[in-house]
Amino acid sequence: MYARRDTYFGRTSRRVPLYSVAPDPSVGPDDRLPSGVTLDRILPESLLHGRLVAYHDADGDRDYVAVAVGAVAGENDVPVWAATEEALVVSAARSTVHGVLLGTDDDRLDEREIDRQLRFGGPIRELLEYIGARSVVIDWHVTAA
């Protein structure tokens, strides 16, 4: 069996390689906000070492927010978790490992939805590619401690 060396699929997680893309600032012919990054800010060091990035999906008319904890650009196997949008920054400040926390106003955002969009394309994949990680790891089964 010939498989790509950079892919990984386990019983409880999946590793997905990403490709960096530059943001496209062009505006479409209609009046609605085009899909793309709407916010990219470095968070103050007093809060945490990280970056806050927001992405607007025009097709679904939904906004996604990600907090990259630590330096994740150019890194492999960056863990990705879903979090509620209201507690996103607080959860990121409490995080002890480098990774990306994703949030949206949609309650259905979980690790399985993140995995689906990473495999088949979608705003979450575009957002994570913009952040610059080489590959991400999604754990969709939390083991009991």
Side-chain angles (χ1 to χ4, degrees):
M1 178 173 163
Y2 298 99
R4 291 176 43 181
R5 300 186 85 190
D6 57 349
T7 60
Y8 169 79
F9 179 78
R11 185 172 52 89
T12 61
S13 65
R14 176 188 305 272
R15 177 183 186 215
V16 180
L18 299 174
Y19 309 99
S20 297
V21 294
D24 184 13
S26 64
V27 177
D30 55 1
D31 291 337
R32 68 181 182 171
L33 187 64
S35 293
V37 174
T38 57
L39 175 76
D40 187 357
R41 298 284 186 263
I42 302 294
L43 294 172
E45 290 286 331
S46 60
L47 181 63
L48 64 100
H49 176 68
R51 184 172 152 199
L52 179 68
V53 181
Y55 184 93
H56 177 73
D57 176 29
D59 295 333
D61 195 25
R62 183 169 291 132
D63 292 314
Y64 294 91
V65 182
V67 176
V69 179
V72 298
E75 296 294 320
N76 288 315
D77 300 338
V78 175
V80 176
W81 304 281
T84 60
E85 190 177 41
E86 294 83 16
L88 193 63
V89 175
V90 173
S91 298
R94 292 180 180 167
S95 178
T96 58
V97 285
H98 292 221
V100 178
L101 278 86
L102 287 169
T104 187
D105 55 354
D106 186 6
D107 293 336
R108 296 174 300 185
L109 181 68
D110 60 359
E111 280 74 12
R112 289 194 185 268
E113 175 62 18
I114 294 170
D115 177 60
R116 186 191 69 75
Q117 286 195 29
L118 283 171
R119 286 185 291 133
F120 300 118
I124 291 176
R125 183 179 181 103
E126 293 175 16
L127 175 60
L128 291 172
E129 286 175 347
Y130 176 83
I131 289 174
R134 288 184 167 172
S135 65
V136 294
V137 175
I138 304 96
D139 291 328
W140 59 67
H141 181 290
V142 180
T143 57

